[in-house]
């Protein structure tokens, strides 16, 4: 008997020579869903009706899509990162954004009105003056004065307090009980801040800065009549620096980028070679003392179970810790650099990203090249890894690329096996994985769709391995078994690399193949949009089981 029968169908492994593939693996598998074992089409994408808020839009150039709520969506032609507030039951429903000119914050109530504020509270300029009234006390000979130093901070309308101004030695005053201290404030900072208050602190008898009083932001002067016993808490925000922004004089590497949310209410971002961490549950505050520096420019960040993966243009690093004040960093001894920020995907228990050599899986324990068995480096480079944008869906890595000849996609299953790699015949520029509703939204051709949720079946193409027979043969019959034949699937037979027959299959009956040649190497290609259970190709009908 000479021929072959396929009762299971699997994905591609381009690295393996086509003749050496397992019998059910493919040279080509496009739009094929294979998790049931048989050859099935993916469903087409379903149109999605969403409302994009003002100042955000969807186009063929869209790079970011974000679902704020059921009624609020955001789209941008910039590669931006958006994270939700780590504050439990945040009444403002704040989100934090990096990737624009400077890091931003907005809320559910103002995002639709094209409003946002700079992330972080600015450091105040020094107090203009600190004066005593009367200038000379009547109690000079009977009292020991208290020496005082004053500072103040800005507080936003959302209660976010920033770092204090500098304390000037020249403004330290010795105060008697019959004197009042008056502060003259500097001009308020310009910029898109939502400042509401000035919060005044002064030193107590022990030299600790304690709360005196809040004054409205428009107040220019403040007369301090608060007694020592009525002073409040010690200043808690003396290290609450704003994140790096577009002030080149202070931040030569540019503004904070790549914002991600970590466990314990911590946000992290990067600028140049530096990783910045927020104070826990204080996403406006990024203390300078929490910064860590790696050896090369950072491409992206990704949260891990107990820390943060830092992906660079050279060696990656892993930062571990659950407290931003005590993070520790370890450089990974690996050449698996990251070539595309938008290829980085949080898969839950691990992270996946595009390197020059293939797709990398990373977790707290280290990194591994998970496409090593299926793609050579040269084959991987054909996908132009620097162009890849990817998303997580049902445990799969859904990726899209653009090379010199096409813009398409592929699905990689990190769980491995024969079905780990199949291609898609469309390209998406952006997406959002809606975990709440278990849906992957994609931007395809400037429109938002829901991945594989259409009512129709997509058209697949599946070409199997090269079957080799030592004895040259001329297959005579074939059969394709399906549950349905509408629309008709197509089977093509190749012999020694030459197309010999194309059959539109209308039923499960055996059909004849052309005669007049013999060959050693055979391939079958199946195309259509109906599930296929079995394919048989043999030299005679008797071998196929039909009398």
């Amino acid at each position: 008997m000479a021929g072959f029968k396929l009762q299971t169908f699997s994905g591609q492994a381009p690295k393996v020579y086509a003749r050496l593939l397992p019998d059910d693996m493919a040279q080509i598998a496009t739009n094929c869903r294979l998790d049931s074992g048989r050859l099935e089409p993916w469903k087409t994408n379903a149109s999605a009706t969403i409302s994009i808020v003002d100042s955000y839009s969807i186009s063929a150039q869209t790079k970011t899509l974000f679902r704020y709520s059921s009624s609020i969506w955001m789209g941008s032609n910039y590669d931006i990162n958006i994270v939700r507030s780590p504050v439990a039951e945040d009444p403002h429903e704040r989100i934090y954004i990096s990737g624009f000119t400077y890091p931003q914050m907005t809320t559910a109530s103002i995002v639709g009105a094209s409003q946002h504020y700079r992330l972080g509270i600015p450091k105040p300029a020094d107090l203009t003056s600190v004066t005593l009234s009367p200038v000379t006390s009547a109690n000079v000979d009977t009292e020991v004065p208290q020496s005082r130093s004053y500072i103040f901070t800005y507080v936003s309308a959302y209660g976010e307090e920033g770092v204090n101004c500098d304390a000037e030695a020249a403004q330290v005053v010795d105060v008697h009980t019959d004197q009042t201290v008056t502060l003259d404030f500097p001009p308020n900072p310009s910029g898109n801040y939502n400042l509401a208050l000035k919060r005044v602190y002064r030193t107590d008898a022990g030299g600790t800065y304690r709360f005196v009083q809040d004054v409205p932001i428009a107040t220019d002067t403040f007369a301090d009549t608060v007694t020592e016993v009525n002073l409040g808490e010690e200043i808690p925000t003396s290290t609450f620096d704003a994140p790096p922004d577009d002030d080149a004089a202070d931040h030569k590497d540019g503004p904070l980028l790549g914002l991600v949310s970590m466990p314990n209410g911590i946000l992290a971002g990067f600028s140049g070679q530096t990783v910045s961490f927020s104070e826990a549950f204080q996403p406006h505050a990024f203390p300078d003392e929490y910064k860590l520096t790696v050896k090369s420019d950072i491409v992206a960040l990704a949260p891990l179970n107990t820390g943060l993966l830092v992906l660079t243009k050279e060696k990656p690093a892993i930062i571990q810790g659950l407290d931003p004040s005590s993070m520790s960093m370890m450089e990974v001894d690996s050449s698996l650099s990251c070539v595309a920020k938008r290829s980085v995907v949080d898969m839950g228990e691990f992270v996946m990203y595009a390197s020059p050599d293939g797709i990398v899986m990373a977790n707290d324990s280290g990194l591994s090249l998970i496409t090593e068995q299926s793609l050579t480096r040269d084959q991987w480079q054909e996908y132009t890894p620097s162009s890849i944008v990817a998303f997580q869906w049902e445990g799969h890595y859904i990726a899209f690329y653009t090379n010199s000849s096409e813009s398409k996609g592929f699905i990689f299953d990190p769980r491995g096996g024969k079905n780990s790699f199949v291609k898609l015949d469309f390209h998406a520029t952006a997406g959002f994985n809606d975990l709440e509703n278990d849906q992957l939204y994609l931007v395809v051709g400037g429109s938002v769709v829901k991945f594989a949720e259409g009512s129709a079946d997509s058209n697949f193409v599946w070409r199997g391995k090269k079957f080799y027979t030592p004895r040259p043969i001329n297959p005579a019959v074939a059969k394709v078994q399906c549950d349905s034949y509408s629309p008709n699937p197509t089977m093509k037979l190749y012999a020694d690399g030459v197309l010999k027959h194309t059959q539109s299959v209308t039923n499960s009956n055996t059909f004849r193949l052309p005669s007049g040649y013999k060959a050693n190497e055979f391939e079958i290609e199946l195309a259509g949009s109906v599930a296929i259970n079995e394919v048989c190709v043999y030299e005679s009908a008797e071998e196929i089981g039909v009398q």
Side-chain angles (χ1 to χ4, degrees):
M1 182 177 78
F4 50 89
K5 176 189 289 188
L6 294 176
Q7 294 178 303
T8 58
F9 300 84
S10 301
Q12 297 180 222
K15 183 176 182 177
V16 181
Y17 177 52
R19 191 187 291 183
L20 300 179
L21 286 167
D23 286 355
D24 59 353
M25 288 198 73
Q27 298 179 71
I28 298 171
T30 301
N31 293 348
C32 300
R33 185 158 193 173
L34 306 165
D35 43 3
S36 69
R38 66 177 183 170
L39 179 55
E40 298 176 341
W42 282 96
K43 289 291 185 181
T44 55
N45 299 322
S47 297
T49 302
I50 65 172
S51 298
I52 301 295
V53 297
D54 290 346
S55 80
Y56 295 92
S57 62
I58 298 295
S59 71
Q61 287 74 47
T62 293
K63 293 181 179 179
T64 303
L65 180 69
F66 182 77
R67 179 182 181 268
Y68 201 152
S69 67
S70 59
S71 59
I72 301 175
W73 284 80
M74 300 165 64
S76 176
N77 290 355
Y78 294 93
D79 174 20
I80 61 176
N81 289 73
I82 305 173
V83 299
R84 299 185 190 277
S85 171
V87 178
E89 299 181 357
D90 181 2
H92 308 293
E93 297 180 84
R94 283 167 286 189
I95 60 171
Y96 302 89
I97 307 169
S98 67
F100 290 128
T101 306
Y102 51 82
Q104 302 177 0
M105 182 276 290
T106 189
T107 74
S109 63
I110 66 173
V111 65
S114 306
Q115 285 186 289
H116 66 268
Y117 299 107
R118 284 179 174 267
L119 176 56
I121 306 301
K123 179 179 179 177
D126 297 342
L127 288 163
T128 303
S129 65
V130 179
T131 58
L132 289 171
S133 179
V135 175
T136 302
S137 169
N139 302 328
V140 171
D141 296 330
T142 59
E143 287 182 3
V144 176
Q146 183 188 51
S147 183
R148 294 182 191 173
S149 173
Y150 284 85
I151 56 176
F152 79 102
T153 64
Y154 290 120
V155 182
S156 77
Y158 304 107
E160 303 156 321
E161 184 179 2
V163 69
N164 54 273
C165 69
D166 291 330
E168 292 293 329
Q171 294 179 340
V172 175
V173 290
D174 293 328
V175 185
H176 293 82
T177 56
D178 64 340
Q179 291 177 303
T180 298
V181 180
T182 299
L183 310 181
D184 288 320
F185 294 107
N188 292 328
S190 60
N192 194 20
Y193 301 105
N194 188 23
L195 303 179
L197 301 171
K198 297 168 182 173
R199 183 162 292 169
V200 179
Y201 296 87
R202 80 173 192 228
T203 52
D204 61 12
T208 299
Y209 285 98
R210 297 194 178 278
F211 172 72
V212 177
Q213 188 171 315
D214 285 339
V215 298
I217 191 67
T219 300
D220 294 325
T221 62
F222 166 68
D224 177 16
T225 59
V226 178
T227 61
E228 178 88 359
V229 70
N230 289 321
L231 293 178
E233 68 170 348
E234 180 180 353
I235 182 171
T237 64
S238 59
T239 62
F240 280 21
D241 304 288
D245 60 14
D246 55 337
D247 185 343
D250 290 335
H251 307 291
K252 65 181 181 62
D253 290 325
L256 190 78
L257 301 173
L259 201 61
V260 296
S261 182
M262 298 175 60
N264 283 12
I266 304 167
L267 300 189
F270 69 88
S271 178
Q273 296 172 226
T274 301
V275 182
S276 298
F277 297 95
S278 78
E279 192 70 52
F281 301 104
Q282 299 282 354
H284 68 285
F286 285 75
D288 285 344
E289 63 190 45
Y290 294 169
K291 292 179 178 179
L292 295 174
T293 301
V294 295
K295 293 180 180 178
S296 63
D297 287 343
I298 299 169
V299 177
L301 305 177
L304 299 172
N305 289 336
T306 60
L308 186 72
L309 177 66
V310 184
L311 296 169
T312 77
K313 294 181 178 180
E314 296 180 4
K315 291 184 177 182
I318 293 178
I319 297 175
Q320 293 186 316
L322 298 175
D323 183 331
S325 66
S326 58
M327 295 289 186
S328 61
M329 183 172 65
M330 174 188 69
E331 184 180 76
V332 180
D333 188 14
S334 169
S335 60
L336 297 173
S337 62
C338 179
V339 296
K341 174 178 176 289
R342 301 175 70 212
S343 74
V344 181
V345 178
D346 182 354
M347 301 293 290
E349 293 296 316
F350 52 89
V351 173
M352 295 175 65
Y353 68 91
S355 79
D357 299 318
I359 300 175
V360 179
M361 176 189 289
N363 57 28
D364 295 278
S365 301
L367 285 65
S368 61
L369 186 65
I370 56 174
T371 52
E372 189 172 18
Q373 301 302 315
S374 54
L375 289 161
T376 66
R377 186 187 189 282
D378 288 344
Q379 290 168 335
W380 172 246
Q381 285 293 321
E382 292 174 4
Y383 294 97
T384 312
S386 61
S387 73
I388 288 177
V389 53
F391 312 94
Q392 189 273 141
W393 180 82
E394 300 291 343
H396 295 76
Y397 184 79
I398 312 292
F400 301 92
Y401 64 92
T402 297
N403 61 22
S404 59
S405 60
E406 63 181 11
S407 293
K408 296 291 173 63
F410 63 81
I411 301 174
F412 188 85
D413 187 344
R415 291 163 290 197
K418 295 180 179 179
N419 301 331
S420 60
F421 188 75
V422 297
K423 294 187 68 174
L424 297 170
D425 70 350
F426 68 94
H427 180 264
T429 61
F432 179 77
N433 186 10
D434 182 0
L435 296 177
E436 179 181 355
N437 297 302
D438 197 24
Q439 294 173 318
L440 175 60
Y441 289 83
L442 298 172
V443 178
V444 179
S447 298
V448 179
V449 300
K450 290 183 281 188
F451 174 66
E453 291 198 17
S455 57
D457 294 309
S458 61
N459 293 307
F460 63 76
V461 176
W462 188 92
R463 181 184 288 193
K465 69 169 289 183
K466 293 182 177 181
F467 287 91
Y468 179 78
T469 61
R471 174 178 61 86
I473 65 171
N474 183 179
V477 292
K479 182 174 76 169
V480 178
Q481 201 278 314
C482 306
D483 291 342
S484 168
Y485 293 88
S486 179
N488 302 149
T490 299
M491 191 199 91
K492 293 181 179 181
L493 177 68
Y494 293 83
D496 289 342
V498 178
L499 177 62
K500 292 295 186 181
H501 183 67
T502 300
Q503 180 76 29
S504 178
V505 184
T506 59
N507 54 48
S508 61
N509 295 339
T510 302
F511 54 87
R512 292 198 171 277
L513 300 172
S515 60
Y517 73 93
K518 286 189 176 183
N520 296 97
E521 197 173 72
F522 298 91
E523 305 161 73
I524 58 168
E525 183 175 291
L526 302 166
S529 58
V530 296
I532 295 177
N533 301 316
E534 181 182 274
V535 177
C536 303
V537 176
Y538 284 105
E539 284 188 284
S540 68
E542 288 74 15
E543 290 177 310
I544 223 166
V546 178
Q547 303 300 321

